[in-house]
Amino acid sequence: MIIKKETTRFSDENNHVFFGYYDVSPIDYENKYMLAMHLPLARDDQMMSVGYYDLNDSSKIFNSIGQTETWCWQQGCRLRWLPSEENCVIFNTIVDSRYGAIIYDLKSNKVLREINSPIYDIDPKGEIGASLNFSRLQRLRPGYGYKRIPDHSISEMKPKYDGLFLVDIKNNGLKMVVSLDEISNYKNEKIIPNSEHYINHIFFSPDSRYIFFFHLWADKKSRDSRLFRYDIEKDKLKLIIDNTVSHYTWKDDKSFIITEFHNEKLSYNIYDLDGSLQSVIGNDLLIKDGHPSFCSKNDFLISDTYPNYFGFQQLFKYDLKLNSYTPLCNFYTKSKFQGEQKCDLHPRLSHDGKTVCVDVVDNGKREMAIISL
C-alpha cells in the first residue's frame, strides 16, 4: 500500500477490518467513534463481529457490540448510525430464523429492539427503512447480498411478490411498494428478453419523500441498469435515468451526482430530483467509474478509481468551483482480492468534510484507514 497523505490505520493481526459500502459514513457526527466489522482471517463464511473504535483512544481497541451472519464483502451488514436515536446503531442480522435487524444502544451497551426485516437504507428522519431481497441480490450480484438463507425466488425472472419494501422502524411493519414485475414492464424497450430482475443501491432523498433505486437485469452474458424514483406520498413510480448507472451521492436537497454510462462513455453527472440533467462534472478528467461522496460545505467531491493494470487504486478530490483534480493517495491491492472479494476503497466522508475513511488491503488482509483532508 502506498500512501501520500496523513492517515490513521485500524488493523488486527487475526481479523479483516472493514466497513463495506461508501454510501454510509461510519464516523459519528461528533467525530468520536468509527463503526467497523471484524472477520477472522481463517474463514470467510462465519460469524462476523460488529462494533466500533473510539477515535480518541490511541490504543485503537475494537469494541464489539454483537455478531452477525448477514454480511457481504461489498456492503457489509449495512451497519450505520440511527438518525432518530442518539448513541444508537442499526445493523442486519438473523431475527427469528429470518433476515432482520438490531438496534443497539452504545451508551447503555444493550439491544434496544429487534426488527423483523433487514434494512438497506434509512430515511434521514430515522423513521422509515427501505429493504429488498438480500438472498436474490447475492445470487444475481455476488458480494452485495447475503447467502445465509437460500433464495426462494430462484425459479422466477420477475416475481410479483418481490421488489422494493418499506419498513416501519418504530412499529416493525413491512410493506411492498414496487414489485419486480412492475418495474420490468415499465418502459421496457431496452430490457434484455428472458433476463432476471433485481434491485440494488437504494437511497432516500434528503427530505425523506422519495426513494431512489437501481433496477438491474441480467442474463448469462450481460447486465444492465437504470434509475427509478418512488414517491412515498403519492405511491407513484417514475423512471429517472434510462442509461446505465453505477454510483451516486447527494449534492444537495434538490440534486444528486451519479456516474453514468452512455454511448460507451462514463461521466459524473448532476441531475435534479425529476431526472433533468443539470451539468457534467470534470468533462475529460472524470472518465472512469468510482464511488463519489460530496462535501456541500466546500463544494468538493471525493471519489476513487478501480485498480489499474498494476493493481493501484487512487483516492482523489475534485473541486467543483475550481474544476481541479487532486490525487490524494494511491493504494495497492493484491490480485487475490478480486471478484466477490474485491476491496474497493469506498471512500466515506466524515460529516464535517475534514476526513475520509476507506477500506484498504495490506499484509494480505483488509484494514481501515482515516485520511485527513
Side-chain angles (χ1 to χ4, degrees):
M1 179 168 57
I2 298 176
I3 303 174
K4 292 184 178 180
K5 295 281 289 185
E6 178 185 350
T7 67
T8 302
R9 301 275 295 282
F10 298 84
S11 62
D12 186 272
E13 182 179 355
N14 301 309
N15 291 276
H16 290 291
V17 179
F18 71 112
F19 182 71
Y21 220 41
Y22 74 99
D23 60 330
V24 176
S25 178
I27 301 174
D28 71 328
Y29 284 90
E30 297 180 353
N31 296 313
K32 291 183 178 180
Y33 306 109
M34 181 183 74
L35 302 175
M37 298 170 289
H38 273 210
L39 181 72
L41 297 176
R43 297 174 60 191
D44 63 5
D45 61 350
Q46 60 183 23
M47 282 283 193
M48 180 178 71
S49 295
V50 179
Y52 66 95
Y53 289 95
D54 184 337
L55 297 179
N56 295 315
D57 183 358
S58 59
S59 64
K60 299 178 185 177
I61 296 175
F62 178 69
N63 301 279
S64 178
I65 61 173
Q67 293 184 313
T68 181
E69 295 176 84
T70 59
W71 63 272
C72 57
W73 288 114
Q74 304 308 312
Q75 306 206 85
C77 60
R78 300 305 290 166
L79 174 64
R80 66 173 64 216
W81 299 98
L82 189 61
S84 58
E85 300 184 44
E86 189 176 359
N87 300 313
C88 289
V89 299
I90 186 170
F91 62 91
N92 292 336
T93 187
I94 297 296
V95 176
D96 295 331
S97 300
R98 300 176 62 182
Y99 292 145
I102 281 178
I103 296 176
Y104 191 94
D105 187 335
L106 270 62
K107 189 173 184 179
S108 63
N109 200 31
K110 65 179 182 180
V111 175
L112 287 187
R113 62 183 184 273
E114 296 178 335
I115 300 174
N116 294 328
S117 306
I119 300 297
Y120 189 102
D121 195 26
I122 295 177
D123 80 295
K125 298 177 182 178
E127 299 174 353
I128 304 173
S131 187
L132 49 72
N133 183 343
F134 282 91
S135 292
R136 185 178 181 90
L137 176 57
Q138 172 64 19
R139 180 174 63 83
L140 296 175
R141 190 73 168 102
Y144 289 79
Y146 308 146
K147 54 187 176 182
R148 172 64 171 74
I149 298 173
D151 176 21
H152 299 297
S153 69
I154 190 170
S155 62
E156 299 186 54
M157 299 290 188
K158 46 182 182 180
K160 295 182 178 180
Y161 58 83
D162 199 352
L164 175 67
F165 297 85
L166 290 185
V167 181
D168 187 329
I169 300 295
K170 293 185 178 180
N171 299 313
N172 207 359
L174 180 69
K175 176 184 178 182
M176 189 181 74
V177 291
V178 180
S179 74
L180 292 176
D181 180 71
E182 179 182 359
I183 57 174
S184 67
N185 292 315
Y186 192 107
K187 297 182 179 180
N188 61 356
E189 292 82 5
K190 78 167 193 173
I191 303 297
I192 303 170
N194 300 316
S195 57
E196 294 189 272
H197 298 258
Y198 62 105
I199 286 173
N200 200 4
H201 306 312
I202 303 170
F203 60 116
F204 278 89
S205 62
D207 63 0
S208 301
R209 174 175 175 174
Y210 301 110
I211 299 178
F212 288 71
F213 64 93
F214 288 0
H215 166 219
L216 303 102
W217 58 95
D219 60 13
K220 295 181 179 180
K221 297 181 180 180
S222 62
R223 181 179 69 244
D224 207 344
S225 61
R226 55 184 182 169
L227 178 68
F228 273 94
R229 186 193 76 189
Y230 173 71
D231 187 330
I232 299 175
E233 290 184 8
K234 295 184 177 181
D235 187 26
K236 190 174 181 180
L237 190 66
K238 181 177 181 178
L239 179 61
I240 299 297
I241 301 177
D242 200 27
N243 294 326
T244 303
V245 287
S246 189
H247 302 101
Y248 58 84
T249 187
W250 286 105
K251 183 178 182 295
D252 51 45
D253 292 349
K254 298 180 180 180
S255 63
F256 60 92
I257 298 169
I258 193 164
T259 58
E260 176 184 359
F261 292 89
H262 184 56
N263 294 331
E264 300 183 354
K265 179 181 178 181
L266 179 130
S267 57
Y268 280 67
N269 297 334
I270 299 177
Y271 282 87
D272 67 17
L273 299 185
D274 291 321
S276 296
L277 179 63
Q278 302 298 299
S279 62
V280 177
I281 304 173
N283 293 317
D284 294 334
L285 292 175
L286 301 183
I287 58 175
K288 295 181 179 180
D289 195 16
H291 305 89
S293 293
F294 185 73
C295 180
S296 57
K297 294 180 181 179
N298 300 307
D299 211 27
F300 69 80
L301 182 75
I302 293 291
S303 193
D304 60 347
T305 64
Y306 289 105
N308 62 15
Y309 178 81
F310 300 100
F312 288 99
Q313 302 165 278
Q314 186 175 90
L315 177 70
F316 66 86
K317 174 181 177 181
Y318 189 86
D319 191 306
L320 272 67
K321 290 182 179 179
L322 302 177
N323 291 320
S324 62
Y325 182 104
T326 305
L328 299 175
C329 306
N330 288 324
F331 299 90
Y332 176 71
T333 301
K334 290 186 177 181
S335 59
K336 77 171 187 175
F337 289 88
Q338 294 181 349
E340 183 175 349
Q341 296 190 18
K342 66 178 180 176
C343 184
D344 297 333
L345 297 180
H346 288 156
R348 316 155 196 112
L349 274 172
S350 59
H351 296 286
D352 60 8
K354 294 182 179 180
T355 60
V356 60
C357 173
V358 295
D359 290 343
V360 298
V361 171
D362 199 15
N363 298 317
K365 63 183 187 299
R366 279 170 159 80
E367 299 180 354
M368 292 178 68
I370 293 179
I371 302 159
S372 299
L373 297 176

